[in-house]
Amino acid sequence: MADDSMHAGDAQRAPRRGDGGKAPRRDGVGKGPRRIPRAGRPARRSACAEDSAKGIKRKHTTAPVRRADGAGKRSGRQQAERRRATPWSFAKQSVGELKKVIWPNGQEVGQYFIVVLVFVVLIMAIVAGLDYGFAKLLLKLFG
C-alpha cells in the first residue's frame, strides 16, 4: 500500500535536480506525464514543431566554393602587373602625399627641438646616475 501512494504522488510533485529526466516537463516532452495547460492558455509548442506544422522550409547556407575555371579572378601575374607602378607615377604619388602633410612653422620647430633636447638630457642623467651607482656598489663589494 505504501508503494501505491508513492507512485500517485510522483505525478504531482515539482521537478527537482537529479530526477534523471523523469519529472514532468511543461512542454509535454519527456518521460513524465503531460501537464494539463491552465485554462485560457494554449499549450506551449517548440519552434521546430510550429515550423513543421506550417510547412516552412529553412534554407541552409553552404561554404564558398572555388570555381575550377577561376572565373572572376585574375591570375597572379596579372595582379602583380596591375599593382606595379612606374618610377614616374611613383614620384607623382609621393609628391601628392607630401603635399597633404601639415608642415610645422619655425616657432613649432623650435618648441619641438627644446622638448626633445630636455627629454634626451633627462634620460642621459638617469643612465649616468645608474652607471655611477652600480660602479660604486661593485667597488664596495669586490674592491
Side-chain angles (χ1 to χ4, degrees), residues 35-114:
R35 285 196 177 186
I36 301 170
R38 293 182 186 170
R41 274 193 188 172
R44 286 188 182 179
R45 294 172 66 181
S46 67
C48 293
E50 290 176 7
D51 289 348
S52 63
K54 293 178 183 177
I56 296 175
K57 293 185 179 180
R58 300 200 180 263
K59 295 180 183 178
H60 297 286
T61 59
T62 57
V65 180
R66 287 189 180 173
R67 294 183 181 178
D69 61 352
K73 296 239 177 179
R74 294 188 185 106
S75 67
R77 185 175 176 187
Q78 287 175 341
Q79 285 181 346
E81 289 175 5
R82 178 99 180 175
R83 284 189 225 148
R84 188 174 296 163
T86 63
W88 178 249
S89 66
F90 176 77
K92 282 176 58 177
Q93 290 173 2
S94 299
V95 169
E97 290 297 321
L98 288 173
K99 286 181 181 177
K100 295 178 187 177
V101 174
I102 299 174
W103 297 98
N105 59 21
Q107 185 180 2
E108 290 174 338
V109 171
Q111 289 175 350
Y112 295 155
F113 174 76
I114 291 171

Side-chain angles (χ1 to χ4, degrees), residues 116-136:
V116 169
L117 188 66
V118 167
F119 180 75
V120 169
V121 168
L122 182 67
I123 296 298
M124 283 176 43
I126 292 171
V127 170
L130 288 171
D131 183 43
Y132 180 77
F134 284 129
K136 285 288 187 185

